[in-house]
Amino acid sequence: MNMPKLPLGDWIESVEAWLEGHFSPLFDFIRIVIGSMVDALQTVLVWGSPLVVILLATALAWLAGKWRFAVFALIGLLLIDNLGYWEHAMDTLAIVLTASLLSIVIGVPVGILCARSRIAQSIVTPVLDFMQTMPAFVYLLPAVSFFSLGVVPGVIASIIFAVPPTIRLTNLGIRQVPHELVEAAEAFGSTPNQKLFKLQLPMALPTMMAGINQTIMLSLSMVVISSMIGAQGLGADVYRAVTQTKTGTGFEAGISIVVMAILLDRLTQRIIRKQKT
């Protein structure tokens, strides 16, 4: 005798419909805020000449690392401009920065809460496991249902996919602070907030930065997937090239994404190394 199938899909769709019916104004507000953030970053990034932005990025790479990193930044960004993908690259960067910033704003406080409460950690950890193991394409469905097509659902899906490393490593970094130092701070009469901001967070910062680095990389990895629901940028170029079997165009857009990924990764890695020294 076969057991009847659980109507799990129907339950999920019922919850989705209930949320749409009761929280539509909240979703509209979130869409406006995130859309405004992306638009503002896009405006800033494409406001000046590409050459000016390239020189500023090269100078930042020089300050953050060695001269080889600066040379790579100069050549890589000039290549993106030469291939004709500069504006699309800046659109992608605006999406990635928005998703990463919101992931950090959400992830760091949740990570601190998990570090200070074992109950919170026991609740949040299974949720993070679920978020990291669920296929990324699945996140596009509720994002489109609640926020329609475009950039905003892409950012939302990127946040869901990318926020777990920041939460996990913020929690880990604070918990790894030597217990003796925490006891010493308490002995000198430090309040919980003083202990957190003057001892635990500074010592946990390298580990937290590693989580932020992973969050940025995961946000960038969602670029192509987000293009399937209307997010613009290099991901849309790759997606069009795949659907139209244009290998050359896909390779050019892919190389541009690789250059941006290496620059963002190396920049955050340099910051992590400086925090450890």
Side-chain angles (χ1 to χ4, degrees):
M1 180 177 178
N2 294 327
M3 293 182 62
K5 177 186 174 182
L6 284 175
L8 182 59
D10 295 335
W11 294 344
I12 295 298
E13 291 178 1
S14 298
V15 172
E16 179 184 359
W18 183 82
L19 290 173
E20 287 180 353
H22 292 79
F23 294 95
S24 181
L26 175 61
F27 296 140
D28 291 338
F29 174 75
I30 294 173
R31 182 167 59 248
I32 292 171
V33 171
I34 294 179
S36 300
M37 290 179 64
V38 175
D39 290 340
L41 284 172
Q42 288 174 336
T43 301
V44 171
L45 290 171
V46 301
W47 177 72
S49 168
L51 183 59
V52 174
V53 178
I54 291 171
L55 292 176
L56 289 174
T58 302
L60 180 61
W62 182 282
L63 293 174
K66 298 180 180 179
W67 63 270
R68 294 184 185 86
F69 182 43
V71 171
F72 174 82
L74 178 62
I75 295 174
L77 293 175
L78 286 174
L79 176 64
I80 293 174
D81 187 36
N82 178 263
L83 294 175
Y85 292 101
W86 181 258
E87 289 192 7
H88 290 185
M90 295 302 100
D91 291 342
T92 296
L93 183 59
I95 295 172
V96 171
L97 291 178
T98 301
S100 300
L101 178 61
L102 292 175
S103 296
I104 294 167
V105 170
I106 296 170
V108 171
V110 175
I112 293 173
L113 176 63
C114 291
R116 303 179 84 170
S117 171
R118 292 190 179 276
I119 296 176
Q121 183 182 21
S122 64
I123 295 173
V124 171
T125 298
V127 176
L128 297 180
D129 294 338
F130 177 84
M131 292 167 64
Q132 290 186 292
T133 53
M134 178 66 71
F137 288 94
V138 178
Y139 297 136
L140 302 182
L141 299 174
V144 170
S145 299
F146 296 141
F147 303 101
S148 187
L149 296 174
V151 171
V152 175
V155 173
I156 296 294
S158 298
I159 292 172
I160 298 172
F161 186 66
V163 73
T166 296
I167 298 175
R168 289 186 187 276
L169 291 179
T170 298
N171 177 25
L172 178 64
I174 294 175
R175 288 185 179 276
Q176 284 182 335
V177 174
H179 188 65
E180 296 79 5
L181 294 178
V182 176
E183 288 182 341
E186 293 173 347
F188 280 102
S190 298
T191 64
N193 286 336
Q194 289 175 331
K195 183 174 61 178
L196 174 66
F197 288 104
K198 294 185 178 181
L199 172 65
Q200 293 173 312
L201 286 181
M203 295 195 68
L205 193 56
T207 304
M208 293 170 59
M209 287 301 303
I212 291 172
N213 171 264
Q214 293 182 26
T215 290
I216 294 172
M217 292 298 100
L218 289 174
S219 297
L220 189 57
S221 72
M222 284 289 289
V223 165
V224 178
I225 297 176
S226 298
S227 68
M228 299 175 63
I229 55 174
Q232 299 303 309
L234 295 172
D237 295 313
V238 174
Y239 182 63
R240 280 194 296 268
V242 171
T243 55
Q244 299 172 10
T245 323
K246 293 184 177 180
T247 306
T249 302
F251 184 80
E252 290 178 349
I255 283 292
S256 301
I257 294 175
V258 169
V259 169
M260 292 185 60
I262 293 175
L263 289 176
L264 291 172
D265 178 62
R266 295 296 184 271
L267 183 60
T268 50
Q269 289 287 350
R270 299 290 182 185
I271 296 174
I272 294 171
R273 290 177 187 173
K274 288 187 176 182
Q275 293 294 335
K276 289 182 178 180
T277 57

